[in-house]
Amino acid sequence: MTSRPVARSRLRNEEGAVLIQVAVSMLAILALASFVFDYGVMWVSRGQAQNSADAGALSGAVSLAFNSPTDQDAARARAIAMAQANLVWKEAPSVTNADVTFPVCPPGIPGPQDNCVKVDVYRNQARGNPLPTFFANLAGVANQGAVATATAQVVS
């Protein structure tokens, strides 16, 4: 007969409730922090990809301005080499010949127009060099990407 009141008093005891709440809260905070880490990898890589594209466009524009204003092949090769020399999350980004173009810029202004060098830099799934994910694998996201574009004007 004494076992019944003891069982009821144990069910009404709330001493372990805080421990359960803390454990659930810590699990939720850990999950959020892990996704924040992967999101941070993407934003750092995006900045590095932009630096890479800027360096490639500037290198191509300098090549056209100082070496030969008509040798677009040499300017393209220099732009690709410089863009790939600037790593994006410890790997060279993907830059092909088609990613370096020479549009007329600035468009729509009267007078003589200068050429520009436009460089597109990729570090994504489509190019076969995606950014890694560290914790998003738990949610089924295996990789992520970053893309950047930069244009530099060739002033003659």
Side-chain angles (χ1 to χ4, degrees):
M1 283 212 230
T2 59
S3 64
R4 196 157 182 86
V6 171
R8 278 192 185 165
S9 68
R10 285 187 182 168
L11 292 176
R12 291 185 182 162
N13 190 355
E14 297 177 1
E15 289 178 4
V18 173
L19 180 64
I20 293 171
Q21 291 174 354
V22 168
V24 169
S25 299
M26 286 179 64
L27 184 64
I29 289 172
L30 181 64
L32 181 64
S34 65
F35 287 111
V36 167
F37 183 80
D38 284 334
Y39 198 63
V41 167
M42 184 194 64
W43 279 102
V44 167
S45 298
R46 185 175 179 263
Q48 291 173 344
Q50 187 63 54
N51 290 342
S52 177
D54 291 341
L58 184 60
S59 177
V62 166
S63 176
L64 286 177
F66 291 108
N67 294 341
S68 173
T70 58
D71 192 5
Q72 290 185 344
D73 290 334
R76 180 177 283 118
R78 285 188 175 91
I80 291 172
M82 188 57 66
Q84 289 177 340
N86 288 278
L87 302 180
V88 178
W89 202 260
K90 301 179 184 178
E91 275 189 35
S94 174
V95 184
T96 63
N97 285 337
D99 297 329
V100 180
T101 58
F102 300 94
V104 176
C105 68
I109 65 166
Q113 294 182 337
D114 293 320
N115 283 333
C116 282
V117 178
K118 180 182 173 193
V119 177
D120 299 322
V121 170
Y122 298 90
R123 178 90 201 271
N124 59 9
Q125 299 86 342
R127 293 291 180 102
N129 62 346
L131 294 168
T133 57
F134 297 96
F135 298 103
N137 286 327
L138 300 173
V141 179
N143 48 43
Q144 55 188 347
V147 177
T149 299
T151 305
Q153 185 173 359
V154 180
V155 180
S156 49

